[in-house]
Amino acid sequence: MTVKLHFHGAAASVTGSCYRLETGSASVLIDCGLFQGPKTLKSLNYRPFPFDPGRIDAVLLTHAHIDHSGQLPKLKLAGFDGRIHATASTRELAAVMLPDAGGIQEHEVEQLNRRFRRRGRPAVEPIYTARDAAACLQLFSTVRYDTWIDVARGIRARWWDAGHMLGSASIEVEVGVSGSEVLRLLFSGDLGRGGGEFLSDPEGPSGVDHLILESTYGSRERPAVSAARRREALAAEVIDAHRAGGPLLIPAFAVERTQELITDLVDLMNASAVPEARIFLDSPLAIRASEVFYRHGADEAGDNPFARARRSSLLHTTESADESRAIEQLRGWHIIVAGSGMCDAGRIRQHLKRLLWRPETTLLLTGYQATGTLGRLLQQGARHVTIQGDEIQVRARIREFDAYSGHADAPALVAWTQARRPIGDRIFLTHGEPDSREALRERLVAAGFDEGRIESPEIDDCFELTRKGARHHASRPRLEPGAAARLDWHNARTRLLMRLSERLEDAPDDQAREALLASLMQELERKPEAADRVAAGNEPLATIRAAPPAN
């Protein structure tokens, strides 16, 4: 029996997780997530799958985060009618997150089509709607941790607690190759940092043949931070934001991090450790996800820390659009926690449009910001950004606070991998940008793993697997190698327009501005063959600069 593993997402990037395991008699997906980041990468969400969804027997879901589950409704619309196997908590969170994702797509496509109509461009359709997502939930089937289930002909799987978020899992898969010979694979999913108050340490089996390992923070090492130290550091950020005049704006990763963050904020205010403030949870998804945590977030002793925040008079939930817009009337010190965590969708963008240009505002980034997202641009110090077609000057304080990250750092990833020994053959590094994957590869080699057996697949790569080897197969990738992890021409155009605006504003007089525009127009009107020579690197691009000021 031939066993092939296809990497259709989260290859050289951190989003769009989707792996296809194919045998002669069955085909299953491990995850089916949305792509996030540069528009070129996100465009894959709108293109057909690189396989026939009607021939997929089952989906094995590691957890509910949208970059792992977000294309499941699209998969059903395209002809998939098998079972989606997930833990009970993952299924309950998906019942909140997938319809929310569909609703966001409907809303954003509606806004986009308004702009398209003004420009005379054809309308577009959402990838799926909230109703499509609700219909997809009927395909879910609940599994228990550490319990084998048959998922397709000749394939069985069991889920291990990954400690990343409520219900998250690493998935062990066994494929009957021939007779009594079995091929064992382990898909890490996203691994938690361990040592937390609310989640178990990540687990997993040992002795697998091949390991598919996430590498999100493969280049990062975080010092161990206790809960008390985390709250102390958060208090310092809140106090500084209050001194700046407020408000404090926090992009929300709606599941897990939002609940931990709000619990800490309420506890700090109750202890008079920070200035008291109204805390607005302005994310319908986070509000509904919080209800799941209130039901299932108790520890072994029965204590549910999230319940404290829920009962607090400081916390205000704004589920409706009218309630969200009412926040805009506030001035002075208050805290807004709004979706999404990478600033690329949801209500956070409306708050950013009206607050980023104000120097008294503090923006606190609390999680990973993927390449090409608005959050990454702000993290890297962008002076101007474009939000929904509007150019915004960035004058707010931009701060980072990584203590709430749900991902294992590099030492934790290596330690978890060592605990899986012996690993029969390959380690496939996924779910990480190139620098993170390379840094993790170096750490694994230093820990004694064979460098020749560590692979870094690109999108749509395919490997034929045996118990003692893996052979790369040629494929037709939807993106050229490396494209998933770098900024694209859309980002370059935005930078050009912003830089042009800056140069026009900084020019000494109108004569200099006219000279700059004339020079740029001359470049744009060059003959196509000349432009082709520039693109090919055979002719230098003319330097565009403002004329010197008149004497």
Side-chain angles (χ1 to χ4, degrees), residues 137-309:
L137 296 172
Q138 299 171 7
L139 302 179
F140 273 72
S141 179
T142 300
V143 303
R144 295 182 178 181
Y145 287 124
D146 199 21
T147 301
W148 286 105
I149 64 166
D150 294 324
V151 296
R153 185 178 179 183
I155 301 176
R156 68 173 189 160
R158 63 175 168 175
W159 279 246
W160 296 82
D161 193 339
H164 172 63
M165 64 174 286
L166 191 66
S168 65
S170 300
I171 302 178
E172 181 183 5
V173 179
E174 285 191 351
V175 182
V177 179
S178 60
S180 60
E181 185 178 355
V182 173
L183 182 69
R184 296 179 65 208
L185 311 176
L186 178 60
F187 296 83
S188 74
D190 287 356
L191 296 170
R193 58 187 185 269
E197 293 175 282
F198 310 129
L199 292 169
S200 302
D201 291 348
E203 302 174 343
S206 60
V208 298
D209 298 309
H210 302 283
L211 172 64
I212 296 82
L213 176 64
E214 71 118 324
S215 56
T216 310
Y217 281 167
S219 61
R220 188 174 303 186
E221 186 169 343
R222 292 192 301 260
V225 177
S226 66
R229 180 68 186 91
R230 181 189 70 215
R231 283 188 282 269
E232 181 182 334
L234 176 63
E237 293 289 350
V238 174
I239 291 169
D240 285 347
H242 179 259
R243 287 199 191 103
L248 171 59
L249 181 58
I250 306 176
F253 286 87
V255 180
E256 200 79 52
R257 263 162 277 181
T258 289
Q259 290 74 33
E260 290 185 0
L261 177 63
I262 287 178
T263 299
D264 281 354
L265 286 171
V266 169
D267 286 349
L268 287 170
M269 291 179 190
N270 287 339
S272 300
V274 300
E276 191 171 289
R278 285 180 288 177
I279 304 168
F280 294 91
L281 179 54
D282 191 28
S283 166
L285 172 58
I287 293 168
R288 298 186 200 111
S290 294
E291 292 300 321
V292 179
F293 279 83
Y294 298 144
R295 289 194 295 272
H296 301 290
D299 58 22
E300 294 181 357
D303 178 47
N304 189 333
F306 306 115
R308 296 197 300 272

Side-chain angles (χ1 to χ4, degrees), residues 329-376:
Q329 307 305 315
L330 298 177
R331 295 294 181 268
W333 173 236
H334 58 284
I335 298 174
I336 303 170
V337 181
S340 66
M342 296 184 191
C343 306
D344 255 16
R347 294 178 180 177
I348 189 68
R349 296 197 296 179
Q350 289 299 121
H351 294 298
L352 289 169
K353 284 178 69 172
R354 68 183 182 85
L355 294 174
L356 268 181
W357 60 272
R358 297 180 180 177
E360 70 270 20
T361 299
T362 298
L363 178 69
L364 185 62
L365 302 172
T366 61
Y368 189 83
Q369 308 297 318
T371 295
T373 61
L374 178 57
R376 175 67 76 89

Side-chain angles (χ1 to χ4, degrees), residues 316-328:
H316 304 267
T317 57
T318 54
E319 190 155 357
S320 73
D322 288 341
E323 290 172 319
S324 176
R325 283 191 291 268
I327 301 174
E328 298 178 13

Side-chain angles (χ1 to χ4, degrees), residues 107 109-119:
H107 177 70
V109 164
E110 180 183 357
Q111 291 183 319
L112 183 63
N113 282 337
R114 287 198 198 106
R115 296 199 296 272
F116 279 4
R117 283 193 293 271
R118 292 194 293 267
R119 300 170 186 172

